Amino acid sequence: MIETAWQDGDVDDAQCPVDLGKPAISGADAPGYLPPRMPNHSSPSASLLRSHVVSTIIPGLDLRPYIGDGFADPVGQQTIAVSDPMTRRTLTNMPEAGPEDVEAAVAAARAAFDTGPWPRMPARERAAALERLADGVERAAGTLALLEATDTGKVLAGVRAWDIPQAAAALRFYARQVLEADEIRVSATGDRSVRLTHVPVGVCAAVIPWNFPFACTAWKIAPILAAGCTVVVKSAERAPLSVQALAGLVVEAGFPPGVVNIVAGRGETTGWYLTADPRIDAVTFTGSTATARAVVGASLRRLPRTVLELGGKGSTLVFADCDVDDAVAGTLEAAFDCAGQSCCAGSRIFVHEALYGEFLERLVCGARTRRLGDPLDAATQQGPQIDDAHLGRIDAYVREAVAGGARCATGGGRPTPDALFYAPTFVTGASRDARISREEIFGPVACVYPFADLGEALHAANDTDFGLSASVWTSNPETARKAATGLQVGTCWINGFGSFDPNVPWGGTKLSGRGRELGAVGLHEFLDTKAVWDLMPSQSEPAEEPARLPPHG
């Protein structure tokens, strides 16, 4: 079974009394529980934006699978209800791509790679197409952000400021990368000349998560297309709308037929048909570790190349010499950004024992003054969880931890019973062997632990099956260096959190993934290296011929 990823105001301490000595239980019944700030209703501006999305933007989308050179009627009649996490109402019913539709999409991508112009055209032309696609993303940024905020529940301001610009930046970065990919020559034994060239791997399948659908799609297709490959994108069944809108931008950018194909559907059906297809040469997937095992298992017949960006159990290390104000703000962002529904969420917070009490109190105050509300409202800091099932999963982790002796310093429940919000929650006293300490929660819940020294902090932070990211807060450069060296993660932020750049690789160690997205290495995930031994007894270099790719065999 395949499913896609589970992916501040100023605080016045005097106005935020915290009794850390009381045992807390889950939810609003917890002693000393104070709900986060919740508006009674959406603002007029948010209501107008939502009305515009529902009445104008979504009806203007062609929701059918995008295959070959256009939108195609699906063979079957199955649909997926796409809901708004804020209102819990159905936004639209998305046609689900069945086996025949996936077959057609893979066939189109296969033909485009084997006999089409895309992998054979000059690099500058591929780069120009990527630039045109980036232009289209930037022109449509407002619409794309509204779609994504509405069907994911993510705060609109964050989507506008991060997700859409990141997508455009990735497309432009790889447009430059494809122009910089040159053939090189090396010398072998006996002064023989060997040409090393990079060739595209072939047809790729890109399986998209629901928490960052548009940015993740761009991160995946940009290097795929720059390499000269073709792709079939499977959007997330919980949040497919922004990715579906990308199809129209692909048409406007003038990509040849079959180079980009987009299908929607559930993981256990559409996703399985796609990743199990023997004509797929590479699979790039973002999601849970458990689902990645199913993806890899489905593709064993072909043994395609895989790039896997998986779960995380991010750690935040806070040392006594840090700038406390900055560390509190950064730790709150790491724990609660995107309502905690992020693979790089800092869900384990390790604080030096000399600072522990003060820091925990500051965190609790920050959590209690965090504004939850309509993601389309400019004042909102945290939107709803994606759906009821996921909300229940988050709460189950907290309830189990409390039953085992842990305490909720704040939060631990739903601030309002008729919406999909979960209160920002800090848990103390949890065993490091408890499920809440070891498994990815994917919600606004973080465990806080004291530590005595750097060695203990590193041991605790590394005591996990995951290794995606961590952040370190200290004013001591040597402490920062030792912590960054000792942390078993793919990315470490020093005195910060959440910085990304298309030029910097992103990915994890352990069960957090395989391979890397972004950076030059992200392009090479979709290129094979070919060595050509030149044994011709020629006195001069032969004239270069246009690139010729052999048919797929």
Side-chain angles (χ1 to χ4, degrees), residues 343-358:
C343 55
C344 61
S347 59
R348 297 179 304 146
I349 303 166
F350 302 96
V351 185
H352 191 274
E353 58 191 13
L355 185 62
Y356 181 82
E358 174 193 349

Side-chain angles (χ1 to χ4, degrees), residues 301-523:
R301 177 182 172 188
R302 178 82 184 168
L303 290 177
R305 182 174 300 189
T306 55
V307 180
L308 307 174
E309 200 271 273
L310 308 179
K313 193 67 179 172
S315 56
T316 301
L317 277 58
V318 181
F319 291 87
D321 61 357
C322 71
D323 182 309
V324 177
D325 290 341
D326 287 348
V328 167
T331 302
L332 288 167
E333 180 186 4
F336 302 140
D337 187 42
C338 299
Q341 297 171 145
S342 170
C343 55
C344 61
S347 59
R348 297 179 304 146
I349 303 166
F350 302 96
V351 185
H352 191 274
E353 58 191 13
L355 185 62
Y356 181 82
E358 174 193 349
F359 199 80
L360 178 58
E361 184 170 349
R362 296 279 297 274
L363 290 179
V364 167
C365 293
R368 288 180 175 175
T369 55
R370 190 169 178 82
R371 186 178 178 89
L372 278 60
D374 192 324
L376 304 188
D377 192 322
T380 295
Q381 293 174 295
Q382 180 176 316
Q385 310 306 135
I386 188 69
D387 58 25
D388 282 285
H390 190 59
L391 181 66
R393 178 178 178 270
I394 295 166
D395 194 51
Y397 275 110
V398 177
R399 289 181 178 274
E400 180 184 282
V402 171
R407 302 165 181 249
C408 291
T410 191
R414 301 173 70 161
T416 179
D418 56 351
L420 294 178
F421 294 95
Y422 201 81
T425 300
F426 287 117
V427 176
T428 63
S431 165
R432 290 180 186 170
D433 293 325
R435 289 205 313 143
I436 198 170
S437 300
R438 304 202 65 82
E439 297 181 12
E440 186 174 37
I441 303 168
F442 227 63
V445 177
C447 296
V448 189
Y449 316 89
F451 69 84
D453 54 38
L454 174 60
E456 181 185 350
L458 289 176
H459 175 77
N462 290 333
D463 183 21
T464 174
D465 293 330
F466 299 100
L468 186 58
S469 61
S471 55
V472 176
W473 297 88
T474 179
S475 61
N476 187 319
E478 185 64 12
T479 299
R481 184 190 65 80
K482 289 180 178 178
T485 301
L487 286 164
Q488 298 167 359
V489 294
T491 292
C492 180
W493 294 288
I494 305 297
N495 293 334
F497 168 78
S499 298
F500 288 86
D501 187 279
N503 193 38
V504 181
W506 168 251
T509 64
K510 303 180 183 179
L511 294 184
S512 287
R514 174 191 300 171
R516 291 292 185 269
E517 295 186 312
L518 302 180
V521 68
L523 176 63

Side-chain angles (χ1 to χ4, degrees), residues 18 49 86 91 216 229 258 271 283 303 343 380 406 478 480 529:
V18 182
L49 287 173
M86 180 62 198
L91 292 167
C216 279
C229 300
V283 176
L303 290 177
C343 55
T380 295
E478 185 64 12
T529 300

Side-chain angles (χ1 to χ4, degrees), residues 73-85:
D73 291 327
V75 174
Q77 301 300 312
Q78 293 292 111
T79 61
I80 302 167
V82 181
S83 299
D84 179 347

Side-chain angles (χ1 to χ4, degrees), residues 1-3 96-99 102 106 205 207 234 265-278 280 283 291 293-301:
M1 179 176 180
I2 298 176
E3 55 192 10
E96 180 174 26
V102 174
V106 176
V207 182
K234 191 205 83 70
R266 292 166 293 164
E268 64 268 27
T269 53
T270 310
W272 190 89
Y273 300 136
L274 177 59
T275 56
D277 194 298
I280 295 293
V283 176
T291 304
R293 291 191 176 102
V295 169
V296 172
S299 63
L300 284 178
R301 177 182 172 188

